[in-house]
Amino acid sequence: MQCLRRWVQTIWIFLSNGFWLFPFTRSLYQGPLKIICAPGLNCYSCPASTSYCLLGSLQQLFATIRFNLSMGSSFFGAYVLGSMGILAASLGRFICGWACPFGLLQEILYALPTKKFSIYPSLRYGKYLFLILFIFFLPLFIVHDNGLGYPWFCKYICPAGTLEAGLPMLALTPYLRAAAGLLFLSKLLILLAYLGWSTCSSRPFCRTTCPLGAFYGLFNRVSLVRLQLDPQRCTNCKACHSVCPVEIHFNETPNSPECINCLKCMTEACTFNAISVDLAGFKLYPHSTQSVNHHP
Ligand code: SF4
Ligand code: SF4
């Protein structure tokens, strides 16, 4: 199952970034595919990107609401909000575990043979702070005289943007290299900090910072496809605790907003078939219906 997950993660990288002519054109892809959103964190300004970024578009939406209102426009981003809502309500954080390029990169770095450290549990609340402050509040309320704000997360934080867009564009365009200043340097340091942290802690950006993961996680308990715990089968053996990449105890907090639905607990730990993947209440996997009763 984890091999399948790797394949799906890899395929999503190429589906979200299919414009490989960029070294020759030295420009961003602006074709018709760019109306389709990447479900995971994938920068719009990556020169290979053939999709748009939900998080960037959401910031853009809030940064322009006041300007649009002042111009009498009724554009309120139904397409962006609808796409995010449909993805979250359908899949929750399955997207983080199966379709996020920056999530895959962190997993690869964590596989390096270094000393490993847990992440202090309270740091998980950081991503909600980034979601509220950098995605909604600052773009909406810190605006120019004309009412236009900034995409604060993209501009000051996003390490995926620095990796996928900033570095390749600097490599391709000499005049950008000359213009790169302190802002780019600070973003490069942020990127290096997360990459370094990923070698010794599992998925630190997803667990402490990612506003998209924070949003998807709110739907983990109600999404159409979700994990299910069968309390009749669970023996509380705690085997699922040790394999979890985000250090949660599935049998104690099933469908936690932290769960990235990687399915390791189900396929690598639980030998009692206590965990299943359900689609709208119907068991998708595993298919076994054999009843088990561990209690005399
Ligand atoms: S609880 Fe299970 S599915 Fe969720 S992240 Fe942990 S191991 Fe993966
Ligand atoms: S591995 Fe399965 S049986 Fe054991 S505690 Fe987790 S869910 Fe329950």
Side-chain angles (χ1 to χ4, degrees), residues 191-208:
L191 169 65
L192 292 175
Y194 280 114
L195 295 184
W197 193 4
S198 300
T199 62
C200 54
S201 296
S202 172
R203 281 198 172 228
F205 176 78
C206 313
R207 294 163 68 186
T208 66

